[in-house]
Amino acid sequence: MTALANNSEGGVGSHRAAIVPAAVTRLRLTDFRNYTAAGLEPSGRPVVLTGPNGAGKTNLLEAVSLLAPGRGLRGVQVSEPDRRPAASAETRTASDVDGGGSEHGARKPWAIAARVAGPAGTVDIGTGRDPEAERRLVRVDGHPARNQQALAEHVAVVWLTPQMDRLFLDGGGARRRFLDRLILGFDPAHAGRVGAYEQAMRQRARLLKERGPGGADARWLDALEVQMVERGVAIAAARRDMADRLDRACRQAEGPFPAARVGLAGDLDDWLDGGSALAAEERFQERLRAARPRDAEAGGAGVGPHRSDLMVRHAAKGLPADQCSTGEQKALLIAIVLAHARLSGAETGTGPILLLDEVAAHLDGERRGALYRRLLDLGLQAWVTGTDRAIFEGLEGRADFFRVEAAAIRPDAAAR
Amino acid sequence: MQEIDRLIQLLARLPGLGPRSARRAALDLVRKRESLMRPLATALAEAADAIRTCSTCGNLDTADPCHICTDERRDPTLICVVEQVGDLWALERAAGFKGRYHVLGGVLSALDGVGPEDLTIAQLLARVGGDSPVTEIILATNLTVDGQTTAHYITERLAESGVRVTRLAHGVPVGGELDYLDDGTLSAALKARQAL
């Protein structure tokens, strides 16, 4: 491993003969968050990033998360990661974070270049903000990609961040997004379907709001609802399939990580349980048509996959995840992510890149050790962060260590 | 500098050009004043005077009706419906269609405030009504949410006309390899399979 120097050989997939997880083997950032120009060249093994708070560790994880479609692990607008001159992570003001207008002209568009190794060889991915527009550009092997969805063909990235500690307590949207990201590792087209469904739903909501259920052209509403129904049932079916497979994969506890039961709750999910996809489509369409007056009043749509929820239970305790302790919730989440990685390896011959931000610090020693062992067994490239190197003792000699300080990255090979 | 600023501002309004590209284009034009800038200005002025929208199909031409609508070798029973003139040009480049066209002028989009009355849907319905020779409408809208919504809407509006409504096939591109296709394209290709 090096920080923009030598490219080590052969780490990718060395833990498993048959499974070749995706791994970043070169990452360069330009004008990204607090980095002017920085980079690192991991070997393909797990990557440990240590350094003080505000140094830029999470920014590095965010950069890796942007190698997959979407808004990255912070879920921000495309210009948000632009580097702001004279604004470090510590000194940034609220108006900077909000993207206040006066500084906007001084921002430089961010760019990320990465080399990703996987079962099909290596691919060079470039992404960043279009200097002349509020949109994200994507290049694959030097060629412009039609859209971000092209990235899903090459790499899947799954993350756990401190904000996700409340995943089981907050609204269903975050849980659906979490499940959707897990699906992308198996079905790259899923993101496109979700985007198309949401667009059709927004169009219908606008039409109902502006013209009312009686004033809007009924055939126009019919046409939009057909788009929602076709995509909506496909989305629900994909989520159901993923939840079923995770449920089977999580039934056995993995050391200190508890067994979990995973399922979905929602009208559409019930209809798919009780009948064919075609029958679900018909029922969904009828419900949408009948709900027009109510949806015109309330906005959105009262039925659809955007109302479904991911349900997780602690199997041994029989408790819903939101009633478990904070530590147990975290352990359940890790158990699901590990099960997903295992499934991915078994079914696709590859595995996602895992981004675990400040995860180790919140686990006790037993769980931390077990997590490291599982990561090494699975051969995944997990990017883990923490302020203290000591908590990564279990990865010593088996991971690439980097020190991040004041937006500078350097290899940190020597154990202290 | 007012003139060059105005030039840059106008160029920046072209699709695909931002302020930076517009500045580069403006500088290039100024550098090539005689070989490019003046001929371009003349061509723009002549085009602005001569080009008109075909009142039948919405194509752009110097004649109204356009050369496609008046070409008697073209099949008057077929109308291919496209979103924009650029799509018509794309189909013409492929040289595989010998019927006539109808340019919608966009797609239905409640978010952009574009409704059926903003498109040429009424004109399309008029073209298939009465003693019209049209027997088939081919919907060639894009495979976007808005494109498909518009296609579905037109299909419903044409339901009582008795005209056959078809759409372009979706599936394996010419020269494409199955292994490289996304799941959605493969599913569409399977659904639209044909007997040999």
Side-chain angles (χ1 to χ4, degrees), chain A residues 246-271:
Chain A
L246 284 173
D247 185 57
R248 287 194 294 275
C250 289
R251 284 190 185 181
Q252 296 297 319
E254 284 197 65
F257 299 110
R261 298 305 309 267
V262 182
L264 284 165
D267 288 342
L268 206 44
D269 310 289
D270 292 344
W271 302 337

Side-chain angles (χ1 to χ4, degrees), chain A residues 97-130:
Chain A
V97 173
D98 291 341
S102 63
E103 280 217 344
H104 190 83
R107 290 180 182 181
K108 296 186 172 183
W110 59 272
I112 300 165
R115 177 160 292 168
V116 179
T122 61
V123 61
D124 289 327
I125 292 174
T127 185
R129 178 169 74 80
D130 185 337

Side-chain angles (χ1 to χ4, degrees), chain B residues 11 14-15 24 31 53 82 97 99 120 137 154 157 163 190:
Chain B
L11 286 170
L14 292 172
R24 279 201 297 271
R31 270 192 222 107
T53 301
V82 294
F97 179 64
T120 60
I137 297 286
I154 292 172
R157 293 288 303 267
V163 173
L190 271 171

Side-chain angles (χ1 to χ4, degrees), chain B residues 24 30 46 50 58 78 80 87 98 119 123 149-150 158 171 179:
Chain B
R24 279 201 297 271
V30 172
E46 287 175 357
L78 294 177
C80 181
D87 302 323
K98 293 302 173 195
L119 306 176
Q123 292 90 320
T149 299
T150 307
L158 288 168
D179 195 29

Side-chain angles (χ1 to χ4, degrees), chain A residues 186-272:
Chain A
F186 297 88
D187 180 4
H190 183 70
R193 283 194 291 271
V194 173
Y197 173 80
E198 289 174 350
Q199 192 191 345
M201 184 168 64
R202 283 196 300 272
Q203 297 271 15
R204 175 180 177 272
R206 175 68 69 92
L207 197 55
L208 285 171
K209 184 182 173 190
E210 288 186 348
R211 306 195 187 194
D217 187 329
R219 281 172 293 208
W220 189 357
L221 285 169
D222 284 344
L224 284 167
E225 286 166 3
V226 165
Q227 305 303 314
M228 286 177 67
V229 165
E230 287 178 357
R231 266 93 171 190
V233 171
I235 290 164
R239 286 178 180 161
R240 188 167 170 265
D241 179 56
M242 188 77 254
D244 284 348
R245 285 192 286 170
L246 284 173
D247 185 57
R248 287 194 294 275
C250 289
R251 284 190 185 181
Q252 296 297 319
E254 284 197 65
F257 299 110
R261 298 305 309 267
V262 182
L264 284 165
D267 288 342
L268 206 44
D269 310 289
D270 292 344
W271 302 337
L272 281 170

Side-chain angles (χ1 to χ4, degrees), chain B:
Chain B
M1 290 296 283
Q2 255 183 346
E3 289 76 8
I4 199 155
D5 285 344
R6 180 161 164 70
L7 176 62
I8 291 168
Q9 281 172 8
L10 288 171
L11 286 170
R13 287 163 62 178
L14 292 172
L17 287 190
R20 196 177 299 178
S21 314
R23 280 195 292 275
R24 279 201 297 271
L27 279 174
D28 200 49
L29 284 168
V30 172
R31 270 192 222 107
K32 298 170 184 167
R33 193 177 311 218
E34 295 306 322
S35 63
L36 183 61
M37 196 176 195
R38 289 193 197 284
L40 178 64
T42 306
L44 286 171
E46 287 175 357
D49 286 339
I51 293 176
R52 59 203 68 194
T53 301
C54 174
S55 55
T56 304
C57 74
N59 188 19
L60 294 176
D61 205 338
T62 52
D64 181 15
C66 71
H67 72 282
I68 293 176
C69 286
T70 52
D71 186 344
E72 292 187 352
R73 290 167 300 178
R74 285 184 171 262
D75 186 347
T77 66
L78 294 177
I79 290 181
C80 181
V81 178
V82 294
E83 293 178 14
Q84 302 287 1
V85 174
D87 302 323
L88 184 158
W89 291 349
L91 284 160
E92 281 296 282
R93 280 200 303 277
F97 179 64
K98 293 302 173 195
R100 292 183 177 154
Y101 292 96
H102 191 86
V103 181
L104 292 169
V107 283
L108 293 174
S109 172
L111 293 174
D112 296 322
V114 180
E117 63 281 3
D118 301 307
L119 306 176
T120 60
I121 293 172
Q123 292 90 320
L124 175 66
L125 298 175
R127 289 181 73 181
V128 302
D131 297 330
S132 164
V134 176
T135 57
E136 182 177 351
I137 297 286
I138 303 164
L139 296 172
T141 52
N142 291 323
L143 285 183
T144 57
V145 168
D146 292 344
Q148 290 186 68
T149 299
T150 307
H152 194 274
Y153 178 83
I154 292 172
T155 305
E156 288 208 9
R157 293 288 303 267
L158 288 168
E160 291 172 8
S161 69
V163 173
R164 182 174 179 237
V165 181
T166 58
R167 67 170 192 183
L168 295 187
H170 313 149
V172 185
V174 174
E177 295 177 40
L178 297 190
D179 195 29
Y180 288 93
L181 290 184
D182 63 88
D183 296 350
T185 305
L186 265 178
S187 299
L190 271 171
K191 273 187 191 170
R193 66 189 183 276
Q194 295 177 344
L196 291 174

